[in-house]
Amino acid sequence: MAIRSLTAPSRRRYKRPMITRFFVWLENFVDSFPLNRPEKPAAKPLAFAWHYTRPFLPLLVASILFSTAIAFIEVYLFAFV
């Protein structure tokens, strides 16, 4: 007869779902509260938008490329119908 420990039973390490890990990565991609004081954005609307979009440029480019690739694949598949 084995003697059981009085401590809590060992738990399996919880593995978060892939979508949760993706959102955690996405939230940590750009530092929301940088230590140094941010520079003042431009007054013009497009320059203002570009100032706040700049940190996300790699994500935007990847999104544009994937969307374009998916659109081409979809059009290619519809050619068979």
Side-chain angles (χ1 to χ4, degrees):
M1 178 185 244
I3 300 175
R4 293 186 177 193
S5 174
L6 296 177
T7 60
S10 63
R11 296 181 183 175
R12 290 177 48 186
R13 181 173 165 87
Y14 175 71
K15 189 173 181 182
R16 292 188 284 192
M18 185 173 184
I19 191 73
T20 305
R21 288 183 280 155
F22 171 72
F23 283 127
V24 168
W25 174 80
L26 193 60
E27 289 173 354
N28 294 325
F29 187 73
V30 174
D31 188 14
S32 302
F33 304 103
L35 294 176
N36 54 355
R37 189 176 178 98
E39 60 188 55
K40 184 178 178 182
K44 295 181 181 179
L46 287 177
F48 181 86
W50 175 250
H51 175 79
Y52 285 109
T53 306
R54 206 174 331 148
F56 299 98
L57 189 61
L59 292 175
L60 290 172
V61 169
S63 177
I64 290 168
L65 292 176
F66 281 125
S67 297
T68 304
I70 290 170
F72 279 125
I73 291 170
E74 187 175 347
V75 168
Y76 182 73
L77 289 175
F78 278 129
F80 288 114
V81 175

